[in-house]
Amino acid sequence: MSAIQKLSPRLANQIAAGEVVERPASVLKEILENALDAGSQQVDVSLEGGGIKAIQVRDDGFGIAKDDLPLALSRHATSKIKTLDDLEMVATLGFRGEALASIASVSRLVLTSSQSDDPSDAWQVAMHGREMEAEVKPAPHPKGTTVEVRDLFFNTPARRKFLRTEKTELGHLQEVFKRQALSRFDVSLQLSHNGKTLQNLKKANTLQEKEQRVAKLLGPEFMQNALYLERESGNMTLKGWIAKPSFSRSQSDLQYFFVNGRVIRDRLVAHAIKQAYSDVMYHGRFSAFVLYLSIDADEVDVNVHPTKHEVRFRESRRMHGFLSSSITKALADVRPETQGDGNSQLPPFAQANAQSVVSAPSINTSSHAQGNLSFLTPEATAFVPSANVPVHEQATLSQSFYKMNEPSIPEKAPEDIPPLGFAIAQLHGIYILSEAKEGMVLVDMHAAHERIVYERMKAALANEGIRSQPLLVPLGLSVSEKEAQIAEDSCANFEQLGFSIDRVSEESLMVRAIPAILPTKVAEQLVRDVIADFVKFGMSDRIESALNEILSTMACHGAVRANRQLSLSEMNALLRDMEQTERSGQCNHGRPTWRFFSLSELDKFFLRGQ
């Protein structure tokens, strides 16, 4: 072992560069953040060779003073924080004071800036990958700053060989540009590569202009299937766009979340949004969203990761609940009259008065089998409809379905036609064909009825509360001391969900009661998973998810089956219930329940007018 010695400034810079500069995209991120922090209204980005040859960022911000230019290229130099209090309330994107020094240590960097409206009153400083005396010299430049980075990793060939092809690196650069363009609608941005303009984005002030920018960056299909969200709770405000569940993705490539203008990827945030979509998203699929959370700067710590991609919230449980409930409510509020099916949009007859058309009567109880629900206890049967057990009207499970006297489609004026129209036929005992005002609606009757029954059962469960069932033999669990303490602190939460848990020693728990609807065999693992969630996220939705899964199974067994012949009155009653039921666009498993075909689509298919 050699003697301890102080690292040379050059080596220290290159080590720091290893944390900050991974590839050209890392360079662009740091320089763009500085440009936006400088109060710029216009930022132009020019790239060559996928950013390996050159990256140039020019802004019209307030610029850097002549005497500060050499200091800007030194380590731990910044104008954005001065005291510990500033660090605890960071309101800027960049603040570490390492970016330019780290970039300069592995590239040929030229920094030109002016604080004057006179182009001749501008100065330039350069550094070429080594510790050197930065010489300031005059250079013509309009007000603002230009940072030019050439030959990235020219002096560290081991790092350079890990770079990918020009196309791959350009893709990463475009992603960085996209994130910053989504974060700052008040700034005009331009991106070019090898002399070709790739993006030219003007300022977006109105909601329509913002939506146009989002559509340009993420594709028009996203915006066609997006719901605008705006919620506020205390000092937290959430705005942005969430995609309908039918617009799901095979990967998380369209997920953008900003905290006070900073794009982040946080496990707590991801968990909250995943929870909000859990009841409507098809398994194995990912949601799409562009969301902006505004919160007091002292409520979030952005100084927890070298790349500043992760943050820490002071009140993580409250923030998690706010995110999840806001998105859940936005998704639940969507009815057929306010959305398309994910593939096309319903025409604007959303305000059609559903009460003026045929309404669904009470569902008759069924004498048909309810499916294999043998695990339910006697207490739990209060939630299972049958011919002999009265249940909450909204939770009635039926295969007897709707009974009405109308023999055919009612006579209605066009303005009174409801969003899902009136049924005209049943196809193969599976689908309902309905004529809407400006097209045709096709409904999967089992999937639609399944969602209706499921939502009614959830409402009944919420109204009547979760009933507990004492265990004849209490279940003992061996856990760590930390887990036992968390379980003891969360006793009230467990009791609300039907569990009775006592701490009997430092590392032992005793489960004395579980929800009556829950099978005993899953209780132990469920409790362990819930405690693990409390350790990781400060909360858990596993118990609710387990109960909902059981209700979903019951609803699936109770919903009208394929090949069940329905009258027009029964089909119309189902359509009216769909229009009034939350999340009726997807069944309990996340599959779509209906689709709208416009007249223009049908005309195009049959080549009418061509």
Side-chain angles (χ1 to χ4, degrees):
M1 183 72 68
S2 59
I4 297 175
Q5 57 184 352
K6 189 175 181 179
L7 295 175
S8 67
R10 177 184 179 188
L11 184 56
N13 280 342
Q14 290 186 340
I15 292 174
E19 295 182 350
V20 178
V21 184
E22 179 184 358
R23 61 193 334 148
S26 307
V27 175
L28 181 60
K29 172 184 177 295
E30 298 292 344
I31 302 176
L32 264 180
E33 287 181 348
N34 284 338
L36 295 174
D37 283 340
S40 305
Q41 298 298 306
Q42 173 75 44
V43 180
D44 297 326
V45 179
S46 301
L47 308 171
E48 292 182 26
I52 302 171
K53 290 183 178 179
I55 299 174
Q56 184 186 82
V57 178
R58 170 171 289 192
D59 66 66
D60 61 352
F62 46 71
I64 304 173
K66 173 185 175 182
D67 295 338
D68 289 342
L69 281 174
L71 192 59
L73 300 183
S74 62
R75 290 192 66 195
H76 309 306
T78 179
S79 62
K80 300 168 187 177
I81 59 173
K82 295 178 181 177
T83 66
L84 182 60
D85 292 338
D86 295 335
L87 187 60
E88 293 176 352
M89 298 183 62
V90 175
T92 55
L93 298 176
F95 57 88
R96 291 175 179 268
E98 294 183 9
L100 291 179
S102 298
I103 295 168
S105 69
V106 291
S107 68
R108 307 182 194 277
L109 185 146
V110 178
L111 177 62
T112 310
S113 188
S114 173
Q115 292 185 315
S116 170
D117 293 328
D118 181 3
S120 63
D121 186 16
W123 304 89
Q124 184 180 93
V125 66
M127 185 172 288
H128 298 162
R130 64 184 183 274
E131 198 68 22
M132 58 179 286
E133 190 68 28
E135 180 184 355
V136 179
K137 58 183 181 180
H141 192 279
K143 184 178 180 179
T145 303
T146 296
V147 181
E148 185 176 2
V149 177
R150 289 192 171 274
D151 301 330
L152 187 62
F153 299 136
F154 78 97
N155 57 347
T156 52
R159 299 283 302 280
R160 191 180 181 96
K161 71 179 182 181
F162 280 98
L163 296 178
R164 303 303 179 185
T165 63
E166 179 178 317
K167 182 180 179 181
T168 300
E169 296 300 339
L170 177 61
H172 289 289
L173 288 160
Q174 288 179 300
E175 181 64 22
V176 168
F177 181 87
K178 182 188 301 182
R179 292 174 181 176
Q180 300 300 340
L182 289 171
S183 72
R184 293 292 299 271
F185 292 103
D186 60 326
V187 178
S188 300
L189 297 108
Q190 186 177 53
L191 174 68
S192 61
H193 181 248
N194 294 339
K196 179 182 179 182
T197 299
L198 303 181
Q199 292 283 2
N200 188 11
L201 306 173
K202 302 300 181 184
K203 291 182 184 179
N205 298 316
T206 66
L207 179 60
Q208 183 179 4
E209 291 172 343
K210 292 177 181 178
E211 290 181 344
Q212 289 173 352
R213 176 179 283 199
V214 174
K216 195 169 184 179
L217 292 168
L218 303 186
E221 190 177 3
F222 170 81
M223 191 49 63
Q224 290 169 5
N225 290 277
L227 307 169
Y228 183 69
L229 166 70
E230 187 168 348
R231 297 283 189 276
E232 185 173 351
S233 176
N235 64 338
M236 295 187 295
T237 302
L238 184 67
K239 297 181 181 180
W241 299 268
I242 57 174
K244 300 169 189 173
S246 53
F247 184 74
S248 60
R249 310 282 294 178
S250 61
Q251 54 188 343
S252 58
D253 59 334
L254 287 184
Q255 295 185 347
Y256 297 91
F257 192 87
F258 300 85
V259 177
N260 294 341
R262 182 190 307 278
V263 63
I264 67 163
R265 285 193 174 274
D266 185 82
R267 290 183 301 173
L268 191 72
V269 170
H271 183 270
I273 297 176
K274 183 178 180 181
Q275 177 181 317
Y277 274 92
S278 62
D279 215 18
V280 291
M281 184 67 68
Y282 192 68
H283 61 84
R285 304 289 291 180
F286 294 87
S287 57
F289 53 83
V290 181
L291 291 172
Y292 304 85
L293 177 68
S294 298
I295 188 171
D296 293 343
D298 59 348
E299 292 290 328
V300 56
D301 182 5
V302 300
N303 193 30
V304 297
H305 193 275
T307 60
K308 303 185 287 289
H309 280 160
E310 298 178 9
V311 296
R312 183 184 295 116
F313 295 96
R314 177 173 294 181
E315 297 185 57
S316 57
R317 182 179 297 186
R318 175 170 167 260
M319 192 282 302
H320 184 287
F322 171 62
L323 282 182
S324 182
S325 61
S326 297
I327 298 174
T328 298
K329 188 177 187 304
L331 293 172
D333 286 344
V334 176
R335 301 289 195 278
E337 68 265 25
T338 59
Q339 68 158 357
D341 63 327
N343 299 302
S344 55
Q345 295 291 322
L346 271 179
F349 52 89
Q351 284 68 38
N353 185 1
Q355 301 302 322
S356 66
V357 299
V358 181
S359 60
S362 300
I363 311 174
N364 297 325
T365 55
S366 172
S367 59
H368 293 276
Q370 299 296 331
N372 182 17
L373 305 175
S374 57
F375 61 82
L376 295 176
T377 61
E379 290 84 353
T381 59
F383 297 107
V384 184
S386 70
N388 301 319
V389 181
V391 293
H392 192 285
E393 181 181 356
Q394 295 302 312
T396 304
L397 201 59
S398 172
Q399 288 188 5
S400 172
F401 213 53
Y402 305 92
K403 298 297 180 185
M404 301 190 68
N405 298 321
E406 288 83 0
S408 59
I409 303 174
E411 294 289 337
K412 290 291 175 184
E415 60 271 14
D416 291 333
I417 298 177
L420 293 180
F422 293 106
I424 56 178
Q426 186 178 10
L427 307 178
H428 298 288
I430 301 175
Y431 302 105
I432 294 173
L433 180 63
S434 174
E435 181 180 351
K437 181 180 179 182
E438 296 187 14
M440 176 183 76
V441 175
L442 198 60
V443 176
D444 183 332
M445 66 181 194
H446 170 75
H449 191 215
E450 184 180 18
R451 170 58 73 175
I452 292 168
V453 173
Y454 177 44
E455 291 297 330
R456 288 176 174 173
M457 294 182 73
K458 287 199 300 182
L461 186 64
N463 292 333
E464 298 180 26
I466 300 175
R467 303 185 182 184
S468 294
Q469 172 181 296
L471 295 176
L472 185 61
V473 179
L475 178 63
L477 299 180
S478 296
V479 296
S480 68
E481 185 175 349
K482 180 180 180 180
E483 291 174 327
Q485 184 62 48
I486 288 177
E488 183 178 11
D489 295 340
S490 306
C491 278
N493 295 326
F494 278 108
E495 288 176 2
Q496 290 178 355
L497 297 169
F499 280 86
S500 177
I501 300 177
D502 294 331
R503 184 179 185 181
V504 294
S505 71
E506 288 188 357
E507 297 182 344
S508 296
L509 299 174
M510 194 67 70
V511 181
R512 303 191 185 278
I514 64 173
I517 198 174
L518 195 69
T520 306
K521 62 183 180 180
V522 305
E524 177 178 352
Q525 188 59 48
L526 183 58
V527 171
R528 292 187 183 277
D529 290 343
V530 169
I531 295 174
D533 281 350
F534 273 113
V535 172
K536 188 174 182 179
F537 303 111
M539 57 76 60
S540 177
D541 67 325
R542 289 183 185 268
I543 297 176
E544 297 97 321
S545 297
L547 296 176
N548 285 342
E549 186 174 348
I550 294 171
L551 296 183
S552 176
T553 301
M554 294 163 58
C556 184
H557 282 287
V560 62
R561 295 290 183 176
N563 298 318
R564 168 74 189 278
Q565 295 301 313
L566 304 179
S567 68
L568 287 177
S569 299
E570 291 173 331
M571 289 186 276
N572 280 317
L574 174 62
L575 297 179
R576 302 294 79 78
D577 264 358
M578 288 177 63
E579 292 163 353
Q580 300 172 26
T581 300
E582 294 181 347
R583 308 175 186 88
S584 61
Q586 290 75 36
C587 76
N588 307 350
H589 315 291
R591 295 185 293 105
T593 60
W594 63 283
R595 178 171 179 177
F596 172 76
F597 299 88
S598 66
L599 281 174
S600 60
E601 288 179 296
L602 297 175
D603 290 343
K604 183 178 180 181
F605 181 80
F606 289 105
L607 304 180
R608 288 181 59 85
Q610 299 186 20

